[in-house]
Amino acid sequence: ARIYNTTMRIKKLPFLYSPFMMVPAKSERTSGFLMPNLGYSERRGGVIGLAWFQTFGDSYDATLYADHYTEGLTTFGTEFRYSPVIGTTGKFEGLAVDDPSNIFGNPEDEGDLRWRIRWTHRSLDLPFGLTAVANVTDFSDFNFFRDFSRNFDSIRIRNIQSRAYLQGSWGKSSATLLVENQEQFIRTGVVRSRRQLPELEYNLRSTQLGKLPIYFSLGAGGHGIEVVQTGREKISYQRANIGPRLSVPLGTTWLSAKIDLAGRAAFYTDSLSQPDEAGSQVFTGESISQSVGSVSAEIIGPSFSRVFHKGLGQWAKFKHVIEPRWDYSRSGEVDDAELIPRFDQVDNTGVATERATFRFVNRLLAKPEDETLGSREIMSLELAQSFSLKDDQPLTRFTDPETGEMFSLQESPISMRYRYRPSRTTNLDLSTSYNTLFNQFNRASLSANKSIGSSAFSMTYTTVFDPRTGETRSAQARLGSSLAFFRNRLRWRSSVSYDVQQSLLQNHSHLIDFVTQCWGLHLEFREFKSLTREDRDIRFSISLQNIGHVIGLNSTTRDTGF
């Protein structure tokens, strides 16, 4: 398609004029070059990028692209998509970076080819009711996200998870075969990988035993575990566990209760040695097993309620409900707990505990004039506190950093949460935590959301206090908005995060999208700040309907040490 003397308008205002454009405008998916990409980065210099789109029939396609920067940096990438049958889709993405001059100043990466790959796959209609899902991410170094990601949230990534699983459900039984790898950035040049190769889990949902008021559930699993850390010897062992549970529900119209009896047993093919004087332990190569039981109870009530038939505004009647809630739990002690290797929550290596929690819940429900809509909760207030029934296990602890004096209390801080939902488009949440050891607030948080038609607003403010003096340790504010105009053709989205304590605008982003019947405009500005770093990213693109991007400009700047 050859286009001459084109003027793009927002309403009647001319926005962009082009004397000539030539773009592919075929109705079918066709292989060929895509529109070039132009941009500028303060560190990388100017960039020109070319991409080739290749089709392989109706179910497969690939995009190959290369970007070259004037400072000597070159990137190569590919995206391969497939959907061979209904219910199965997948995408593979790869990016390689050739940085011979090491313009990002990473000494450990000098002269190396840096890279990142991502693979996502989903099959929802396999035989025997099975589902297969894979999400795999790998990379050459953690600095890759900081240097090349356009998403500011990715700059602070310290953990990367890859997993693939095959899952099936049959009645109340389900089974999962999982392969998982979690990589954690410890410090420069040190990465820890925690792997399950593989994990097989079986679960039986709560099932009534005959006609008895007793319900049985079961969880069991087998795990192949590996832990690999830079500069350390690889750890590898196997684990098997089983956890049955019996539940007995009781109750009346004003009081309900449930008692749970649970047990868990686990077997390990390797164990740890006794700690030496420095607290260090090594794997001995000897197997070990453990078993522990627990009991818990939940009581709701006695509940009290009152109905108010006098209406107010859109509501025809109200119902006030008071629900005291009591929770009790007790777990046994694990023998030789210090010898058990710890990997996840399955490895119970703690001492025996006994705890009670009391919650005082107030709920206000409202019913509208329209009887078909039904009633809903518009307001609630919850107060909660836990109590340790073990003298040597206080729930509140504090150590004076100057004198080393220790303070403790058997009770936990008192938590309060207030929720207000006057409409389905308006939410208000307030939560606080009050430390009874020093009679000071630990933290407070306020969040609000409001939707008006296609527009939405959100706000969150969180403050953390010193538990002894009550002085503010940190204060964070977040604002978000999404505004729609001209029947949703023009949309403005903004997000702002501000550190009140340090008077620092940490990050903010602003996006403008304008869509007409035949063309669209996208303008995006993002900025991230810390005490040692500042990143800015500007993106601009124009697209034509059924054709795609015809103009794309990117600009990135980065400052350090300000």
Side-chain angles (χ1 to χ4, degrees):
R2 293 173 174 83
I3 306 172
Y4 301 90
N5 299 322
T6 301
T7 302
M8 298 183 180
R9 301 174 182 270
I10 298 180
K11 288 299 185 178
K12 296 182 179 181
L13 177 66
F15 176 76
L16 183 68
Y17 170 78
S18 175
F20 174 75
M21 286 191 298
M22 185 172 64
V23 296
K26 297 183 177 181
S27 59
E28 67 276 5
R29 297 165 64 248
T30 305
S31 301
F33 282 104
L34 302 180
M35 295 300 297
N37 174 49
L38 301 174
Y40 175 78
S41 170
E42 186 175 276
R43 179 169 293 189
R44 309 174 202 174
V47 59
I48 180 171
L50 294 176
W52 174 271
F53 178 74
Q54 180 67 49
T55 62
F56 303 97
D58 295 335
S59 301
Y60 306 88
D61 61 48
T63 304
L64 305 174
Y65 57 90
D67 297 333
H68 180 72
Y69 296 82
T70 56
E71 294 297 322
L73 181 73
T74 304
T75 65
F76 304 91
T78 182
E79 177 182 300
F80 176 71
R81 301 185 304 169
Y82 58 90
S83 181
V85 296
I86 296 176
T88 295
T89 58
K91 181 170 68 173
F92 174 83
E93 301 172 273
L95 178 64
V97 180
D98 183 19
D99 183 16
S101 56
N102 193 21
I103 63 175
F104 290 98
N106 299 315
E108 66 274 13
D109 302 324
E110 188 171 0
D112 293 337
L113 186 69
R114 306 175 66 186
W115 52 270
R116 183 207 67 209
I117 61 172
R118 288 177 179 169
W119 175 51
T120 58
H121 175 90
R122 184 179 297 270
S123 294
L124 304 179
D125 53 356
L126 295 178
F128 308 108
L130 295 173
T131 298
V133 176
N135 291 281
V136 178
T137 302
D138 203 0
F139 51 92
S140 58
D141 58 277
F142 269 93
N143 289 329
F144 190 98
F145 299 96
R146 183 191 68 184
D147 295 335
F148 299 104
S149 177
R150 287 176 177 162
N151 185 346
F152 288 122
D153 291 335
S154 299
I155 293 175
R156 292 175 283 186
I157 283 180
R158 290 296 178 267
N159 295 277
I160 298 295
Q161 184 183 61
S162 297
R163 54 178 7 210
Y165 64 85
L166 182 66
Q167 186 179 60
S169 297
W170 307 272
K172 293 190 175 182
S173 297
S174 64
T176 303
L177 179 64
L178 169 72
V179 177
E180 184 178 54
N181 180 42
Q182 298 185 38
E183 297 195 72
Q184 180 183 11
F185 176 68
I186 306 299
R187 59 182 180 275
T188 302
V190 179
V191 177
R192 177 187 298 158
S193 298
R194 296 160 55 86
R195 305 166 182 166
Q196 297 197 72
L197 305 171
E199 169 190 287
L200 178 60
E201 285 195 348
Y202 170 79
N203 287 281
L204 175 65
R205 295 195 300 272
S206 183
T207 303
Q208 187 173 3
L209 298 180
K211 296 183 179 181
L212 298 175
I214 301 176
Y215 294 82
F216 175 76
S217 59
L218 177 70
H223 313 260
I225 296 173
E226 284 187 1
V227 180
V228 181
Q229 182 170 323
T230 307
R232 294 186 179 182
E233 186 179 352
K234 182 176 73 173
I235 298 170
S236 178
Y237 62 94
Q238 289 74 48
R239 179 186 69 193
N241 66 277
I242 184 170
R245 177 182 294 270
L246 288 175
S247 298
V248 182
L250 305 168
T252 64
T253 56
W254 54 274
L255 180 69
S256 63
K258 186 177 71 169
I259 300 175
D260 288 333
L261 300 174
R264 188 183 59 80
F267 173 81
Y268 304 80
T269 60
D270 208 341
S271 62
L272 295 171
S273 63
Q274 291 286 350
D276 57 19
E277 295 181 356
S280 300
Q281 293 177 283
V282 297
F283 279 82
T284 64
E286 299 180 0
S287 61
I288 190 175
S289 60
Q290 65 164 217
S291 60
V292 64
S294 65
V295 58
S296 62
E298 178 187 69
I299 302 175
I300 301 177
S303 300
F304 304 93
S305 63
R306 181 179 178 182
V307 177
F308 299 88
H309 294 277
K310 186 176 181 180
L312 179 65
Q314 60 176 317
W315 310 112
K317 60 178 68 175
F318 298 90
K319 183 178 182 180
H320 180 212
V321 181
I322 298 177
E323 288 182 346
R325 300 188 179 188
W326 313 77
D327 296 316
Y328 171 82
S329 64
R330 180 177 180 175
S331 63
E333 187 169 0
V334 178
D335 296 331
D336 298 324
E338 68 278 4
L339 307 183
I340 297 171
R342 301 184 183 184
F343 184 79
D344 54 25
Q345 70 276 4
V346 173
D347 305 316
N348 182 0
T349 58
V351 297
T353 61
E354 189 173 10
R355 181 179 301 184
T357 301
F358 172 71
R359 294 181 175 86
F360 187 75
V361 183
N362 274 269
R363 303 169 61 210
L364 182 63
L365 294 87
K367 194 168 187 178
E369 296 284 351
D370 188 351
E371 297 285 344
T372 61
L373 297 179
S375 60
R376 63 183 183 86
E377 181 181 285
I378 63 171
M379 190 184 305
S380 68
L381 175 64
E382 178 178 324
L383 298 172
Q385 188 175 28
S386 297
F387 304 87
S388 174
L389 304 181
K390 296 278 189 179
D391 294 336
D392 58 343
Q393 297 176 12
L395 297 182
T396 303
R397 295 185 178 91
F398 179 79
T399 302
D400 193 310
E402 297 180 357
T403 65
E405 185 179 2
M406 298 183 62
F407 302 87
S408 63
L409 200 64
Q410 296 300 108
E411 305 95 72
S412 71
I414 299 175
S415 64
M416 185 275 288
R417 184 177 184 183
Y418 172 75
R419 292 178 292 183
Y420 180 50
R421 307 281 192 272
S423 67
R424 300 185 184 277
T425 60
T426 305
N427 302 320
L428 176 68
D429 283 84
L430 172 64
S431 62
T432 62
S433 176
Y434 185 78
N435 191 329
T436 56
L437 180 60
F438 299 110
N439 295 323
Q440 298 284 355
F441 282 98
N442 285 342
R443 63 182 303 277
S445 176
L446 174 66
S447 63
N449 298 276
K450 176 63 179 178
S451 298
I452 303 175
S454 299
S455 301
F457 306 88
S458 63
M459 181 274 293
T460 301
Y461 187 89
T462 303
T463 307
V464 178
F465 304 99
D466 187 290
R468 187 170 187 180
T469 64
E471 297 179 355
T472 302
R473 284 185 172 178
S474 66
Q476 303 279 336
R478 291 190 176 186
L479 300 174
S481 64
S482 177
L483 306 177
F485 306 95
F486 308 128
R487 298 180 181 178
N488 292 330
R489 290 186 176 181
L490 177 63
R491 181 171 290 275
W492 172 292
R493 288 174 289 174
S494 293
S495 176
V496 177
S497 295
Y498 184 74
D499 191 320
V500 181
Q501 190 70 5
Q502 299 180 3
S503 299
L504 176 66
L505 183 61
Q506 292 179 318
N507 63 73
H508 61 109
S509 64
H510 310 277
L511 295 82
I512 297 177
D513 286 299
F514 180 77
V515 180
T516 69
Q517 291 181 342
C518 55
W519 70 280
L521 163 72
H522 177 83
L523 179 62
E524 178 179 351
F525 173 80
R526 296 175 181 266
E527 184 176 43
F528 167 81
K529 288 183 179 181
S530 67
L531 296 178
T532 59
R533 180 187 183 93
E534 180 176 350
D535 294 309
R536 297 184 188 91
D537 191 7
I538 300 175
R539 302 175 63 190
F540 171 77
S541 65
I542 292 179
S543 60
L544 298 181
Q545 185 179 10
N546 297 328
I547 296 177
H549 293 299
V550 295
I551 296 178
L553 299 174
N554 301 320
S555 176
T556 301
T557 61
R558 173 170 294 147
D559 301 321
T560 58
F562 68 92

